[in-house]
Each structure stands twice: as structure tokens, then as C-alpha cells.
Amino acid sequence: MGKSRKNRVRPGRADPIAKPVKPPSDPELAALRESRILPVVKDLQSPDIKSRTAAAGAIANIVQDTKCRKLLLREQIVPIVLTETLTDNSIDSRAAGWEILKVLVQEEESDFCVHLYRLDILTAIEHAAKALNETLASTEPPFAKLTKGQQRIVWDMSNSLLVLLNSLALARDEILEAIVANSTIVRFLFRIVATDSVPQEAFEETLSCLMTLSEDNLPLGQAITDDQETRCYDKLLELVAAGGPRSVFACGVLHNVFASLQWLDHSPGKDGACDAMLVPSLSKALELPPPSNKTNGQADSWAQMMQVALEIVASIGTDLQTALEKGNRPVPGAAAAKDEEWNGFEEKDDDAMDVDEGSGDEKDEEDDEEEEEEEEGDEESDDDEFDEDDLEKVTGMDSEDDGEGDLDDLPTLRELINKAIPQLVRLTNIAVDDDNSITIQGHAISALNNIAWTISCIEFSDGENHNIWKAWAPAGKRIWQRTISPILEADVADLQLATQVTSLAWAVARSLCGTTPLGKKEHRKFMSLYQVSKAQQQNTMNPDTDDKNKEQPPQEDPFQGLGVKCIGVLGALARDPAPIDINREVGVFLMTLLGSAGEPGVAPADIIQALNEVFDIYGDEEYACDTEVFWKDGFLNHLEELQPRLKAVAKGINKRTFEELRIKADEALVNLARFVQYKKKHAPKAKE
């Protein structure tokens, strides 16, 4: 190990600006302070090295206890450790000091990491990392020739530093950037990756730290691939090929590196490197069964490995959309994973966007009068103004043909469909009997959800990307039949799980373009779920009297709610070539929902999504449902009658508090006016 600095202990001098620590008012805490805390703090600053070492070890053992930890913090244990213990002559004391700081960051909030950073903890970490790196790289004597006790201390200190670095990087972006900019710390991380004898815990912590640091980090990505001293990149590739738990964490680092360097399917890196080379290894890891012996934390370690693998697959599924976009695939709607947004504003009149910017009634009345005049002008306008181009602006339809797709130039998508999806589907059906299995099931659904949303953004109309469709359609139908249907059939009361499954169902139904393998009356499950979400929304808006004064949690994205997702699923299930009876049932549901606009429990986001689904379902007069349902059931009259009510709902949204919601509401109203005018012009009687 590198030579450490001497510990400068001056027990005879007190800090002239230090404030005396007041004993706690609680008698129990005061007694604990006197009996256990003050003695070890005093010994930690003793001139005797044995006393200091023993005290450091004792504090490392008691710091996990909440009461002891809070009392130690009151006694300024952090400055003492930073200025004295970490520079002690005794390596055992230094190791205990790092253990103390490790436990503190694990137990305290992220603000504590910021506090450490401001106390210049990175300088202390750099000094320790340099010494550890020299020890690991030393040839005189080689690290392997050190005693087991010496090696243990090296790995204990390394693990403490790694936990600290990971926690610090997660606390704030500026800290992460400072860590990456420190070449000594980065070389220390690379050295551990290149060392074969690293214990599993320290190795996983190293790769976890590199995963944290490498996310969206081009400098570190370049440093990993350019490293010639330890050949970190080559070592990571070897780990991926070897399989096992370590390969999972290595895949996580490489996935971040590929993303930061833009090594995508159409622009691979060294030796064709892209995410496609990671998916088979991750899929094999997902096949690993849980340990038969659930003691000694083996089950938790397995669950952690599975969770990390699932998170990486989910991230690959999301990042695949970037590859599709950069590879010139038609990917309409960049925010498709959040909600469908049909942009009808390209050629709108400026007057159509007159909306309330204040809260006064006079302004509202003026806006109403202007909008009424505008509507009258619209009714008197020439029908020729509304043609097929206008409907394309409402429905988002695009006939542009970018050519037929195939999977040869999309190896990542091929591997996801062939290797990952079967394992993900299997994991969504595992027996849910403990916290680990619940977590794994949820992450498996999330991974499927990300992949399905990316696929749903690929254009399949008019034979575009036919080869992708041929590969995806069987997989999408399998997801519906083996994941979505069983969970719906179980009729779970877990709304979080229901929301996850509904989001997945929406993505799969969109991607299957009206060919979803629906079970008998299965679409009604989503209608029932919507009623549950409506009741939940009403309870949120009208809390019990006893709860009115309680602090309410911040409102989530209104377009991520269960209600919006149920509406999205139903709209996707009703699209052509869906059976007419299902189309009619969904159409009536949507019209009824629009008719309830403004009622308690009916969120404005639900109304906006319902309108968008109507535009998509009935946007083409060539569809059978246009004549058989839209016109026969008088949907156009309903839409015309609802316009004033929908306008009131939109105007009731505070644009300052809910800016995005108000913008989308105004957009939906403009699109509704276009849609109504278009349908009038293309009524069945007008057809030749």
C-alpha cells in the first residue's frame, strides 16, 4: 500500500471556534451518550494508536444503530473521521473510518452526500484510491502474495470507497461530473474491473458504480473504450461472453457506453458493437432459477441480479427507438410512450387559439363571444377548405412510404424478439409469493412495455416494414395471451399492477393494428377498470372530512393515469379491422364518456384521450365501422352537441398550473372542429 500521512493528534488543544455540543434532553439518549458515545469519540482522538484503532472499529459497529448514529453525528464524528481517522498511521483505523462513512451514506438521506462533497470528501477518496490502485498493480510484492488479512483490508476499503462513490454520484450531477473528471478515481475503478481476484460484492459494487457514472456520459464512455492500461473495455466484453451474474452488470456498463457513443444498429462501434451483442447474455441470465437455499442472502442477490438484468433490457427497449429514428425508420409521435398526440396546429388560424390567460370573468366572456363568432364564421365557410389533408392533420395519418423494413439491419430488435421476450413473458407468470417475486414480475412487465411501445411507433400501414411486422406480430400476440390475459382474468385488486398491465396492453394493441387476439368480452375488463379509476379520481377530488387538512401528494402526470390508459387500450382494440360489434361497444363507451365531461370523477385528460381515440377510429371513411357505426349510431350529432360542453371543460383548466393539459385540451378542440367539418363533407350520401 502507498505510504499514508501521519496522523496529527493534538489532544491538548481545543478548536477555538467549535461550539460545545449540548446533551440531548431525552434522558435515555443522554444516558446512551454518556455510556457509549463519548468514550469512543474520546478514544478516537487518543494519542495511543491502539485506542484509536479500537475506537474506530467500535464506532463502525454501532453506527448502524439509529440512536447511536444520530448521537455520533451530533458529536461531529464526520469532521473527526475526515481530518484524523482517514489519515491515521494504522491501516485498520483508516479502514474503519471508511466503513463509518460508508454506513452513514447508506443510512442517511442524499443531502448527507452533498454535505460530504462540500467537505471535500473526493480529495480523501482520491488519496485512498491512489494507494489502493498502487497496491493492486504492484509487482513488488504482487497483490496475490499478500496475506489474506492484508487482502481483506484492501477489499474492505475498496468496497467502502465504491459505495461512497456510487452514493455521491447519485446525489447530484455536479458530484458525478467531478468524479468522472478525477482520473485517479476512474483508474481505480478500471483496475478493479481488470483484477481477477476481486470478491463478488466488491466487483458488483464496482460495476454498479460504473453503471451510474456512465449513463449519458460521453467522456467516461470514451475513457472506457480508450483505456490501454487495464483494457477495461476488453475485460467487460469478456465478462459478457462468460455469462453469469457478473455479465449482467457488465452489460449495464456497456449498454451505457454504446448509448453515449451512439453505437447503434445502423452505426455500430468496434467489431460491430451495439446492444444486439448484450441481449443474448441478458436473456441467459433471466433463465437462471432462484437458489434452492434462500439463506445467507442468496435469494436477495439473485433477485437483485434479475432486477438489474430486467432494467437493462427495458432501457435497451426504450433506446431502440433512437436507433429507429436515426436509421430513418418512420417513427411517428416521439412521445408515443406517454400518450398519443395528434397535432392539428400546423395550419390553424391564430384566432382559434384565443384562450384564457387570466382568471377574470370579463375575459372569459370576451373569449366566449370571440369563439362564438369564429364558430359562426366556420359554419359559413366553404366546405372545400376541409379536405383529406385536413383529416391527416387530425388523425396523424401519413401515406409517405419509406420502404419495406427487415431485421437484418435491426439486430437489436431481432434479439429482443427472439431471445428476450420469451423470458420476459415467462417472468410475468412467476408465482408471486414474496417481495422479490413481486418486484421481478413488475420489472418484467415494464421491460415488455418499453419494447412494445417502441414497436407501436413503427409504421406498418401499406405494407411498410413488413418483415418487422412478421417478426413482431406472433410475439405481440403471445404477450397478450400469456401475460395480459392471465392477469386480467385474475381480476387483481392491485391498482399499480393494473396500471402497468393496462399500459402494456395499450402498446401491444397499438402495435397489432386491430388484430389483437381478444378473449371473450375481454375489452369489457378495461371498461370496468376505467370505472375503478373514475371512482379513485372522485375520491381524490373529494377526500373525507378528516383527511382534508392532510398534505396531499403532488399530482402525477394526468396522461399517465389508469383512466387514460384504459381509454387508449379500448381505442386501439376498436380500430379497423376490429369486429364491428366490438367497435360499436367501444364507440358507445367513448361517446358516453364524452357526454359526462365536467362531471365529478371525469378527468379532463380522459376527455382529451377519448376525443383522440374517436379521431383515430373513425378517421377513414373507407373503414367498415365508418358507415356501420359512426353514421348509423349518429356519432356526428353527439360530437356537435358536445362541443360547447367540451369547450367549457377546456376553459376550466388553469393554464398556469396545468400548462400541458390546457395546451392539449385546446388542441383537441381545434381538431374536433376540423374532424366534424371533414365528416360532414364526407358523409355516406355524398359518396359517389
Side-chain angles (χ1 to χ4, degrees):
M1 299 263 320
K3 187 176 180 180
S4 62
R5 293 174 290 176
K6 289 186 177 182
N7 184 34
R8 300 191 182 109
V9 181
R10 298 185 178 90
R13 290 188 61 184
D15 188 342
I17 63 172
K19 296 180 180 179
V21 179
K22 295 181 179 180
S25 57
D26 186 294
E28 180 185 355
L29 293 179
L32 180 63
R33 176 176 180 261
E34 292 292 332
S35 63
R36 299 187 64 183
I37 303 303
L38 291 183
V40 292
V41 171
K42 181 180 179 181
D43 287 345
L44 190 64
Q45 299 174 288
S46 169
D48 181 59
I49 189 170
K50 292 183 179 180
S51 297
R52 296 198 305 271
T53 301
I59 292 173
N61 289 330
I62 67 173
V63 74
Q64 286 183 319
D65 180 83
T66 302
K67 292 180 180 179
C68 290
R69 184 172 66 256
K70 297 304 180 183
L71 289 172
L72 286 167
L73 290 173
R74 283 169 59 96
E75 299 298 327
Q76 301 297 306
I77 191 65
V78 172
I80 295 173
V81 169
L82 285 174
T83 58
E84 299 182 23
T85 309
L86 296 185
T87 59
D88 201 294
N89 289 334
S90 168
I91 188 174
D92 291 320
S93 293
R94 298 199 301 274
W98 287 115
E99 176 71 16
I100 292 169
L101 294 178
K102 182 192 81 171
V103 175
L104 286 174
V105 299
Q106 289 176 324
E107 299 295 336
E108 295 295 311
E109 300 294 332
S110 61
D111 287 348
F112 181 74
C113 290
V114 178
H115 174 64
L116 285 180
Y117 174 68
R118 290 171 177 168
L119 292 176
D120 200 21
I121 184 68
L122 287 188
T123 298
I125 292 177
E126 178 185 6
H127 177 76
K130 181 180 180 180
L132 291 168
N133 193 34
E134 290 173 353
T135 301
L136 292 171
S138 174
T139 57
E140 293 294 337
F143 179 73
K145 297 296 184 180
L146 297 181
T147 66
K148 290 184 178 180
Q150 290 172 322
Q151 292 185 23
R152 178 185 57 78
I153 291 178
V154 168
W155 294 130
D156 287 347
M157 290 181 66
S158 297
N159 191 61
S160 296
L161 292 184
L162 293 165
V163 172
L164 279 164
L165 288 169
N166 214 349
S167 301
L168 288 164
L170 289 169
R172 187 167 290 185
D173 288 343
E174 66 174 292
I175 305 178
L176 187 150
E177 293 170 1
I179 294 172
V180 173
N182 191 308
S183 59
T184 300
I185 293 176
V186 171
R187 283 199 303 272
F188 166 65
L189 296 174
F190 291 176
R191 175 63 60 186
I192 295 184
V193 172
T195 303
D196 294 329
S197 59
V198 185
Q200 183 69 14
E201 181 182 6
F203 196 87
E204 290 183 0
E205 194 65 48
T206 304
L207 293 178
S208 176
C209 185
L210 282 173
M211 283 175 60
T212 301
L213 295 172
S214 60
E215 186 173 0
D216 297 325
N217 198 312
L218 179 59
L220 185 58
Q222 292 174 331
I224 290 174
T225 55
D226 294 342
D227 173 53
Q228 296 300 317
E229 181 182 349
T230 63
R231 305 187 68 83
C232 180
Y233 177 74
D234 293 337
K235 183 64 176 181
L236 291 171
L237 291 178
E238 292 175 9
L239 290 169
V240 170
R246 291 190 175 189
S247 72
V248 172
F249 293 91
C251 285
V253 178
L254 288 176
H255 168 59
N256 289 341
V257 171
F258 296 161
S260 65
L261 297 177
Q262 293 293 290
W263 288 1
L264 308 174
D265 284 357
H266 68 283
S267 58
K270 296 179 180 179
D271 301 320
C274 65
D275 283 334
M277 66 190 302
L278 308 178
V279 176
S281 182
L282 291 167
S283 301
K284 287 182 181 179
L286 294 176
E287 294 180 23
L288 296 175
S292 56
N293 182 7
K294 295 189 176 182
T295 60
N296 299 325
Q298 292 183 8
D300 290 340
S301 297
W302 171 82
Q304 181 191 18
M305 183 270 295
M306 295 290 284
Q307 180 176 333
V308 172
L310 290 168
E311 289 174 346
I312 297 168
V313 172
S315 181
I316 291 174
T318 300
D319 289 352
L320 181 62
Q321 184 162 334
T322 301
L324 294 170
E325 291 171 344
K326 292 185 178 295
N328 295 322
R329 295 278 178 181
V331 187
K338 294 178 67 176
D339 59 275
E340 290 189 77
E341 180 180 355
W342 308 116
N343 191 349
F345 287 138
E346 291 86 354
E347 297 180 10
K348 66 183 182 296
D349 294 333
D350 291 339
D351 291 343
M353 285 300 295
D354 283 344
V355 291
D356 176 25
E357 294 189 3
S359 57
D361 293 335
E362 289 184 8
K363 179 63 178 174
D364 288 343
E365 291 174 3
E366 291 173 5
D367 288 343
D368 290 340
E369 291 174 1
E370 290 175 5
E371 289 165 354
E372 288 173 5
E373 291 174 2
E374 181 184 282
E375 288 173 2
E376 292 174 2
D378 286 342
E379 293 173 359
E380 296 170 0
S381 65
D382 189 351
D383 284 344
D384 289 340
E385 295 179 9
F386 297 90
D387 54 17
E388 285 81 353
D389 291 338
D390 292 305
L391 185 62
E392 287 181 5
K393 294 167 187 170
V394 176
T395 63
M397 293 186 297
D398 187 356
S399 60
E400 182 181 352
D401 186 358
D402 286 343
E404 186 172 350
D406 58 63
L407 296 187
D408 290 340
D409 60 344
L410 291 173
T412 300
L413 177 57
R414 180 188 63 229
E415 296 299 321
L416 286 172
I417 292 175
N418 295 336
K419 301 278 190 354
I421 286 180
Q423 298 304 322
L424 297 175
V425 170
R426 179 182 62 82
L427 291 173
T428 62
N429 289 283
I430 61 174
V432 181
D433 51 12
D434 57 18
D435 291 341
N436 285 337
S437 58
I438 292 173
T439 299
I440 290 171
Q441 182 193 48
H443 279 84
I445 294 173
S446 295
L448 286 173
N449 182 66
N450 289 8
I451 297 170
W453 272 111
T454 294
I455 298 294
S456 74
C457 295
I458 299 175
E459 184 60 66
F460 293 127
S461 65
D462 300 325
E464 291 185 49
N465 299 310
H466 180 63
N467 287 354
I468 298 179
W469 166 259
K470 285 179 63 178
W472 166 254
K477 292 176 181 179
R478 188 182 305 117
I479 293 171
W480 187 279
Q481 293 171 325
R482 300 185 183 179
T483 294
I484 298 170
S485 292
I487 295 177
L488 288 176
E489 186 65 26
D491 198 21
V492 293
D494 185 346
L495 287 183
Q496 183 178 357
L497 176 61
T499 302
Q500 272 193 304
V501 172
T502 304
S503 180
L504 174 60
W506 187 3
V508 172
R510 273 172 48 95
S511 69
L512 292 178
C513 306
T515 64
T516 305
L518 272 178
K520 186 177 181 181
K521 307 298 182 184
E522 206 164 53
H523 59 289
R524 293 182 181 174
K525 293 280 187 179
F526 296 102
M527 295 181 181
S528 299
L529 271 177
Y530 177 77
Q531 298 304 325
V532 172
S533 74
K534 183 179 176 182
Q536 183 187 36
Q537 177 72 17
Q538 192 165 2
N539 290 337
T540 302
M541 296 172 62
N542 300 288
D544 295 336
T545 303
D546 294 339
D547 296 333
K548 285 184 179 180
N549 295 325
K550 292 183 179 180
E551 184 178 351
Q552 297 296 322
Q555 187 179 30
E556 62 177 7
D557 182 349
F559 292 98
Q560 289 295 305
L562 177 58
V564 168
K565 292 177 179 179
C566 289
I567 295 166
V569 175
L570 291 167
L573 294 176
R575 294 180 193 176
D576 186 81
I580 291 297
D581 59 334
I582 291 179
N583 181 281
R584 173 172 282 109
E585 197 168 348
V586 171
V588 170
F589 171 84
L590 293 175
M591 290 298 169
T592 303
L593 173 58
L594 291 173
S596 64
E599 295 181 2
V602 181
D606 296 353
I607 300 301
I608 295 169
Q609 190 62 44
L611 277 174
N612 288 335
E613 297 303 332
V614 169
F615 300 154
D616 288 344
I617 296 170
Y618 302 108
D620 191 334
E621 63 270 17
E622 299 299 324
Y623 294 159
C625 63
D626 186 66
T627 302
E628 296 298 321
V629 178
F630 186 86
W631 290 105
K632 281 189 177 181
D633 288 35
F635 285 0
L636 181 62
N637 293 334
H638 287 295
L639 291 175
E640 286 189 290
E641 293 171 359
L642 287 172
Q643 281 181 301
R645 182 182 297 183
L646 299 178
K647 184 180 296 183
V649 170
K651 290 180 68 63
I653 301 172
N654 188 318
K655 67 187 304 181
R656 292 189 177 90
T657 307
F658 305 102
E659 181 180 5
E660 180 184 7
L661 187 63
R662 178 61 184 266
I663 289 173
K664 291 188 175 183
D666 292 334
E667 176 185 351
L669 285 177
V670 173
N671 287 343
L672 176 59
R674 289 180 181 273
F675 185 80
V676 168
Q677 292 296 329
Y678 179 88
K679 298 303 286 186
K680 282 182 177 180
K681 180 179 178 181
H682 294 82
K685 62 182 180 180
K687 294 181 181 179
E688 297 181 0

